[in-house]
Amino acid sequence: METLNIFIKSAFIENLVLAYFLGMCSYLAVSKSVKTAFGLGLAVIFVLGITMPINWLINEFLLSENGVFGTDLTFLRFILFIAVIASMVQLVEMVIEKFSPELYTSLGIFLPLITVNCAILGGSLFMVSREYDFVESLSFGLGGGFGWFLAIIAIAAIREKIRYSNVPAALRGLGMAFILTGLMGIAFMSLMGIDIVSFTSAAQ
Amino acid sequence: MGLIDFIKRIEPDKEKQPFLHTLYDGFYTFLFVPDHTTKGGVHIKDGMDLKRLMIYVVLALQFCYLFGTWNVGHQHFVALGIYDDSYFSGFHLKIAYGLIKIIPLFVVTYIVGLGIEFWTASKKGHGIEEGFLVTGALIPLIMPPDLPIWILVLSVIFAVIIGKEAFGGTGMNIWNVALLSRVFVFFAYPTTISGDEVWVSGIEGMSAGAAVQYGWWETGFFNSIFEALGWATFDPSATVVDGYTGATPLTLAYQGGWERVTEVYTAGQMWWGAIPGSVGETSKPMILLGALLLLGTGVASWRIMVGMLVGAAISAIGLNLWGASPFMDVPWYYQFYMGSFFFAMAFMATDPVTASSTNRGKWIYGFLIGFLGMIIRVMNPAYPEGWMLAILLMNTFAALIDHYVYQANIKKRLARV
């Protein structure tokens, strides 16, 4: 139940893009068509879902005082987390290049740039500061990725829809994307504040 | 010949006075059919243009305005403990009080919104778009009666400029403009639009003995008329009665479920709408009359309305089965008696611009609004009512739903080739 709660919370209630404004650069740059956004969204779900548990293992067994080295190595956290993320992104890149060259070319530089997508590193750091266990961090990774995926395909569909609107010249492109993101943030505030745990504990 | 010649004579020059010409053009087409025709290929279905469509919605809203005018006055006198024995005692006072509260909201909304509309139209060099007619009629109905006018002005400016003109004007917006103005007030000035104290107007507070706030319109203007007619007048020395809280049924349901609600209000009161709330959303029969008018003229989509009803019912039944809080235990059919479900269903969710435009998309869109709105209402302690935010959330996804409905259709038809 706790795991499910973390998934729902990270996907809808504390959405990485719309509540924390993480991962904005690729969110704004790759959201011009639903098809590419869909591909990048899936890549982010995969990378978040797989780096989070690996980073949890690293943090727990290598870096903490109770780990194999027996000393506090947490100052290495950033560099190790980024190394894991970078190697996972390499993997994703190779897979996408092999199976969907079309998507690979349309994503362009933004695929390797998932490495420095702050949503991914931010997710791993949230996991540490919130003291999740292994299963919870997996659920947080998948939920956070799913929330990011939903946000990017929603804004991509809206941007496709307004492509032929008579938007004032000064706002075309990024200006409109910022207004859209702000208004989407307001819309996503609808679920903010729901605490499922309080209901499940009351029922028992 | 008469009026039309006079009107044609005063037509301002389009190049030299663009603003005056836009204004002239807007009012000219109110009175006469324009004599220029569209050039190029158009496909005309019938004589239903944007202006007629908008006017049907505005007409459908008049039932809510009539009832709201009375109810604002009625709630005011219930708080004071006078004329609360029947709906018709002190009728002229209730109507007069309601008019004093509603007319400023209505006039200010239209002046500000249409002002921006006229200005951008003259700036862009096209005719006035009629989009604000409906938005301007909706906004006063979803605000509390005592909302300070300057907050109303700010919210209308925000909604019209950010929510509509930035997207390119009428018919281009992604989010419902009236709801954006309300959500602006809701997040920027929460104390003016949530809590127990804002839904009943004209009193200084909810504690017993709090004084009424009457201005020149009540004590000067209307009292002198009523005195001349020999009718009852406004009493500036009246005070709030003991035990009055002003809480809405939703607040009470959150505190103690359906038992707590029925201690204060009867089901009939809630159904007919004699309860505190935003100006126009309390009376279910009046809203349903308007909804029938919209369905009969084909302006609103029945798929969205039915989808939303089904979604809300399923969500409420599911919450009944879960039953983890008193609010969840409220029988699902009574959920429809409280709050503004029907107003949102009839006038907000069915907005053809912001809803999904495919038939299958409309079912999904309506269903999800109903489902999520009920969850927000019951489970989110921060927000007393869920429909505004649920509709805005689904507006965000309406374009995406349409996209996948199109894709599925393309795939299906490709397979047939």
Side-chain angles (χ1 to χ4, degrees), chain B residues 125-145:
Chain B
H126 59 63
I128 293 170
E129 292 165 333
E130 296 86 351
F132 196 75
L133 286 180
V134 171
T135 312
L138 282 171
I139 289 176
L141 291 176
I142 53 178
M143 296 291 185

Side-chain angles (χ1 to χ4, degrees), chain B residues 63-74:
Chain B
F63 304 112
C64 298
Y65 267 107
L66 286 176
F67 187 86
T69 309
W70 171 81
N71 191 41
V72 168
H74 181 67

